[in-house]
């Protein structure tokens, strides 16, 4: 007979923590998607990466980085330095040493050979399962190279630092550091989406410009330099919105005129610092032509949008893995939760959602890998970056919430990590182009490059030919996008485009059972509003959960 003391302290029916897992080898859909998109040769290195990032120590470090958010501190009377918990710096060092900020570029700043995008996307997907805040400067640094390409001489000077895999958090000029990071300043008080409303001014001064104005959001303020937008006051005329490279120190080695006013108190993304900053005669160099700022910086933004989608897919994967893990260990009414038919349907539907999101982001990474040499891949990247950013980022918050509920009360408690994922999830849909803005971009591509975009959609229809709901979806997308009210109906059209693209991508990477179930539940219906409100049978459930997390 158990003593009174031991019966109250004995822990029964509580699942073990989900940690010390191999984030790659325990994820069959990930391995398949990597292989299908050209990255199969990287599997061994990815498994090493996945084992390391899935350790209990990494999860504990992620909690430490987020429980102790960064603070602005004073140097010589100015708020110049951001202090972080050491765990944040440890993550930066990990991601920089793995090359997540530069592995898609060669030493001269040109594109690395395929499948560098797919290889990076797989790593990014795993990192997003552990810690998201530090990925902000990692993403911006790698993406900035695409915009800096408009200024080849400047890029050539910066590449030895961007190309380095040494993380150097010191507060000193970038040229004196062993590696550097870059941020981005576009958003102002009066307009974020509408950057044309920027009032920050740039005036020519010596070899560069002097910039004055205010940015309402500028994340990762401890970066060594920022790409910022400002209205250039050309010498003889008003030139308009222009992209600039603004270092933290001016060419004389003095701290540049970036006056940080405060750090935002954010819902999630707590380990990352996001600032309000005043530029006071700050030194900057022009990137690209005067007046062509949006065109220049959009090269960077396309890549940050890819990362937003990968990050959201990664967060969904972590939420799913924890839900499946919990349901396999927890017994209710004499059965494992995972064997209760309704819970099986919820988990299987969630597994399908992750299959689709993962297939989309890996397919998009492949398009970025090949866009330079293949016009069809370039067309895919141009149209589907916004579609995929829209859809995958929109799905993450309700997805994490549902996973939380699968864990019951434990899901609502910080130890499960799901509350942090839940707070983090909405940001990817908001920054780098919010939901409606992504849909407007899809309409813009169709208006500007209609023939090419329609050919890209037709290609998907043929790749998905014969699967449930494809023909009807293709007709519906065409009608929604060509009607007089295309803007009113754009969200529905983009959602359908995302599902169509997911089915085509899954056909290339996943087994028929998963592809058929995805198409049937997402395109042909019937389907309710919540996860699990779809017709998935027990044979499919067993197969999908086995793929999601081998038991
Ligand atoms: C944590 C965090 C960090 C950030 N870091 C940075 C950073 O480092 N650098 C930076 O430059 N910015 C940064 N931002 C700002 C972010 O990019 C903007 O908040 C975002 O672009 C939206 O701009 P806004 O806030 O001005 O909203 P608005 O532009 O006012 O948009 C509000 C809503 O209106 C919708 N909308 C806009 N136009 C239309 C339209 N024509 N039709 C229908 N709907 C429309 C949008 O989709 C959005 O939902 C950050 C934001 C956050 C939350």
């Amino acid at each position: 007979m158990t003593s009174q003391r031991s019966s109250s302290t004995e822990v029964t029916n509580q699942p073990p923590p989900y940690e010390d897992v191999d984030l790659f080898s325990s994820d069959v859909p990930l391995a398949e998607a990597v292989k299908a998109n050209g990255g199969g040769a990287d599997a061994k290195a990815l498994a090493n990466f996945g084992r390391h990032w899935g350790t209990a120590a990494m999860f504990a470090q992620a909690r430490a980085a987020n429980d102790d958010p960064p603070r602005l501190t004073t140097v010589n009377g100015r708020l110049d330095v951001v202090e972080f918990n050491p765990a944040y710096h440890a993550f930066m060092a990990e991601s920089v040493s793995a090359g997540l900020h530069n592995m898609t570029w060669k030493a001269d700043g040109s594109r690395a050979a395929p499948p560098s995008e797919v290889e990076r996307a797989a790593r990014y997907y795993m990192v997003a399962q552990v810690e998201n805040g530090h990925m902000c400067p990692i993403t911006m640094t790698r993406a900035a190279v695409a915009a800096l390409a408009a200024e080849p001489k400047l890029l050539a000077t910066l590449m030895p630092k961007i190309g380095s895999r040494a993380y150097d958090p010191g507060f000193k000029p970038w040229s004196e550091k062993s590696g550097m990071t870059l941020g981005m300043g576009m958003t102002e008080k009066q307009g974020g989406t509408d950057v044309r409303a920027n009032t920050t001014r740039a005036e020519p001064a010596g070899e560069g410009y002097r910039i004055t104005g205010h940015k309402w959001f500028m994340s990762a303020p401890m970066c060594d330099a920022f790409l910022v937008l400002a209205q250039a006051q050309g010498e003889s005329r008003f030139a308009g919105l222009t992209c600039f490279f603004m270092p933290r120190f001016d060419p004389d080695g003095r701290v540049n005129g970036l006056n940080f006013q405060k750090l935002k108190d954010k819902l999630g993304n707590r380990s990352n610092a996001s600032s309000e900053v005043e530029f006071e005669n700050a030194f900057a160099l022009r990137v690209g032509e005067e007046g062509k700022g949006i065109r220049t910086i959009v090269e960077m933004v396309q890549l940050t949008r890819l990362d937003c989608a990968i990050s959201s897919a990664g967060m969904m994967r972590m939420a799913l893995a924890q839900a499946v893990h919990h349901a396999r260990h927890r017994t209710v009414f004499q059965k494992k939760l995972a064997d209760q038919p309704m819970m099986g349907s919820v988990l299987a539907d969630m597994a399908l959602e992750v299959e689709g999101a993962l297939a989309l982001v890996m397919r998009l990474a492949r398009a970025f890998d090949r866009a330079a040499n293949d016009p069809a891949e370039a067309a895919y990247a141009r149209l589907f970056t916004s579609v995929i950013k829209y859809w995958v980022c929109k799905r993450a918050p309700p997805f994490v919430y549902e996973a939380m509920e699968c864990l019951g009360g434990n899901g609502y408690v910080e130890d499960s990590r799901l509350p942090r994922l839940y707070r983090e999830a909405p940001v990817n849909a908001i920054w780098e182009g919010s939901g409606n803005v992504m849909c407007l971009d899809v309409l813009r591509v169709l208006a500007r490059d209609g023939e090419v975009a329609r050919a890209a959609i037709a290609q998907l229809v043929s790749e998905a030919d014969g699967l449930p709901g494809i023909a009807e979806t293709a007709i519906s997308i065409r009608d929604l996008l060509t009607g007089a009210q295309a803007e009113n109906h754009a969200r529905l059209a983009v959602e359908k485009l995302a599902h169509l693209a997911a089915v085509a991508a899954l056909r290339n990477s996943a087994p028929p059972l998963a592809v058929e179930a995805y198409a049937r539940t997402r395109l042909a219906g019937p389907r309710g509003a919540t996860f699990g409100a779809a017709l998935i049978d027990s044979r499919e459930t067993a197969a999908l959960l086995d793929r999601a997390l081998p038991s």
Side-chain angles (χ1 to χ4, degrees):
M1 205 173 120
T2 326
S3 75
Q4 208 179 351
R5 180 176 154 73
S6 65
S7 70
S8 66
T9 53
E10 191 187 0
V11 178
T12 58
N13 201 20
Q14 283 290 335
Y18 183 72
E19 56 195 22
D20 289 324
V21 283
D22 178 341
L23 299 176
F24 185 74
S25 308
S26 63
D27 189 343
V28 173
L30 175 60
E32 288 178 353
V34 166
K35 191 168 174 212
N37 289 293
D42 198 30
K44 202 167 162 211
L46 286 170
N48 287 335
F49 188 89
R51 256 191 312 280
H52 176 55
W53 277 84
T55 55
M58 291 296 254
F59 288 120
Q61 190 168 275
R63 187 161 182 183
N66 285 276
D67 282 356
D68 178 20
R71 291 168 293 275
L72 259 184
T73 57
T74 316
V75 176
N76 299 331
R78 292 167 46 125
L79 287 167
D80 270 335
V81 176
V82 183
E83 263 181 16
F84 292 88
N85 184 285
Y88 172 87
H89 291 300
F91 277 117
M92 286 298 289
E94 289 277 359
S95 288
V96 167
S97 75
L100 294 183
H101 69 304
N102 66 12
M103 65 187 282
T104 58
W105 309 115
K106 290 189 192 153
D108 64 358
S110 61
R111 275 212 155 274
S116 63
E117 286 284 349
V118 169
E119 291 173 346
R120 176 180 179 277
R123 286 169 174 77
Y124 200 102
Y125 182 73
M126 290 188 268
V127 172
Q129 296 175 42
V130 182
E131 209 292 312
N132 301 86
H134 83 284
M135 298 306 280
C136 174
I138 296 289
T139 283
M140 292 193 290
T141 304
R142 101 84 179 211
V145 174
L148 286 163
E151 213 55 56
K153 266 193 184 164
L154 175 61
L155 180 60
T157 8
L158 297 171
M159 270 323 285
K161 304 294 177 186
I162 298 174
S164 155
R165 291 197 178 195
Y167 171 58
D168 184 344
F171 184 52
K172 50 191 172 188
W174 64 264
S175 55
E176 296 171 16
K177 296 180 69 165
S178 51
M180 74 183 291
T181 53
L182 287 115
M184 169 171 75
M186 297 197 284
T187 308
E188 299 188 3
K189 275 183 196 143
Q190 69 281 2
T193 304
D194 188 5
V195 285
R196 283 178 206 282
N198 274 194
T199 57
T200 296
R201 285 173 296 111
E203 286 172 12
E207 286 178 21
Y209 289 73
R210 290 284 164 182
I211 296 192
T212 303
H214 184 266
K215 294 291 172 186
W216 184 234
F217 277 94
M218 199 168 83
S219 288
M222 68 299 153
C223 282
D224 300 293
F226 303 86
L227 294 188
V228 303
L229 289 182
Q231 306 283 357
Q233 319 280 306
E235 273 170 358
S236 56
R237 62 193 173 88
F238 174 75
L241 210 55
T242 305
C243 181
F244 294 93
F245 170 83
M246 183 186 282
R248 286 292 273 116
F249 289 78
D250 71 14
D252 297 327
R254 288 183 302 242
V255 178
N256 204 1
L258 290 85
N259 297 329
F260 295 103
Q261 298 175 320
K262 64 181 271 201
L263 298 185
K264 301 280 195 189
D265 185 6
K266 296 175 289 185
L267 167 69
N269 198 247
R270 304 282 290 178
S271 65
N272 181 34
S274 300
S275 70
E276 290 172 25
V277 58
E278 188 92 52
F279 300 148
E280 204 183 306
N281 234 8
F283 169 82
L285 294 167
R286 182 171 44 76
V287 179
E289 284 177 54
E290 280 190 351
K292 302 278 194 262
I294 296 177
R295 191 185 295 175
T296 304
I297 212 154
V298 102
E299 297 295 326
M300 171 176 186
V301 173
Q302 282 293 88
L303 294 179
T304 60
R305 287 175 180 167
L306 166 64
D307 279 4
C308 288
I310 303 170
S311 154
S312 286
M315 284 190 259
M316 287 161 66
R317 162 68 198 175
M318 175 47 64
L320 171 71
Q322 287 198 221
V324 174
H325 172 82
H326 181 90
R328 285 207 182 122
H329 287 90
R330 177 81 168 171
T331 300
V332 284
F333 303 113
Q334 294 84 46
K335 256 190 190 175
K336 291 293 179 208
L337 251 181
D339 297 329
Q340 297 285 2
M342 204 187 320
M343 181 57 93
S345 293
V346 171
L347 294 171
D349 199 22
M350 290 170 68
L352 272 179
E353 196 71 13
V354 174
E355 295 250 10
L358 171 67
L360 283 171
V361 298
M362 287 299 164
R363 174 66 185 88
L364 185 57
R366 180 176 100 192
F368 276 97
D369 257 335
R370 301 178 185 191
N373 299 314
D374 183 340
E377 293 293 319
Y380 187 99
R382 181 68 193 94
L383 181 65
F384 284 98
T385 301
S386 296
V387 172
I388 293 169
K389 200 271 187 186
Y390 172 76
W391 178 245
V392 177
C393 297
K394 273 269 174 271
R395 292 308 273 166
F399 188 98
V400 176
Y401 149 67
E402 194 67 62
M404 197 182 261
E405 193 172 316
C406 292
L407 270 70
N410 286 358
Y412 202 69
V413 172
E414 295 290 341
D415 287 343
S416 75
R417 305 193 291 267
L418 285 165
R420 177 155 54 82
L421 278 185
Y422 185 68
R423 290 190 296 270
E424 182 74 26
V427 77
N428 282 329
I430 292 174
W431 62 15
E432 309 306 319
S434 315
N436 289 353
V437 177
M438 292 296 84
C439 296
L440 288 171
D441 192 57
V442 172
L443 294 181
R444 197 172 306 121
V445 177
L446 282 160
R448 278 195 193 153
D449 283 318
E451 210 175 306
V452 177
R454 279 190 292 277
I457 297 171
Q459 174 63 26
L460 296 190
V461 173
S462 87
E463 286 171 22
D465 185 38
L467 286 162
I470 293 297
E472 300 84 330
T473 301
I475 293 167
S476 170
I477 291 170
R478 188 200 59 202
D479 293 348
L480 289 166
L481 290 173
T482 50
Q485 311 235 3
E487 204 168 309
N488 306 54
H489 302 151
R491 277 194 177 216
L492 182 57
V494 172
E495 191 171 311
K496 285 175 185 278
L497 268 175
H499 287 319
L500 173 63
V503 173
L506 282 168
R507 200 171 225 182
N508 181 45
S509 62
L513 177 135
V515 189
E516 205 275 338
Y518 188 97
R520 196 187 68 239
T521 52
R522 270 68 181 163
L523 294 180
R527 181 176 178 77
T530 58
F531 289 104
L535 302 180
I536 302 174
D537 66 33
S538 44
R539 182 188 62 99
E540 289 171 322
T541 297
L544 288 166
L545 296 191
D546 252 9
R547 284 171 57 69
L549 198 67
S551 38

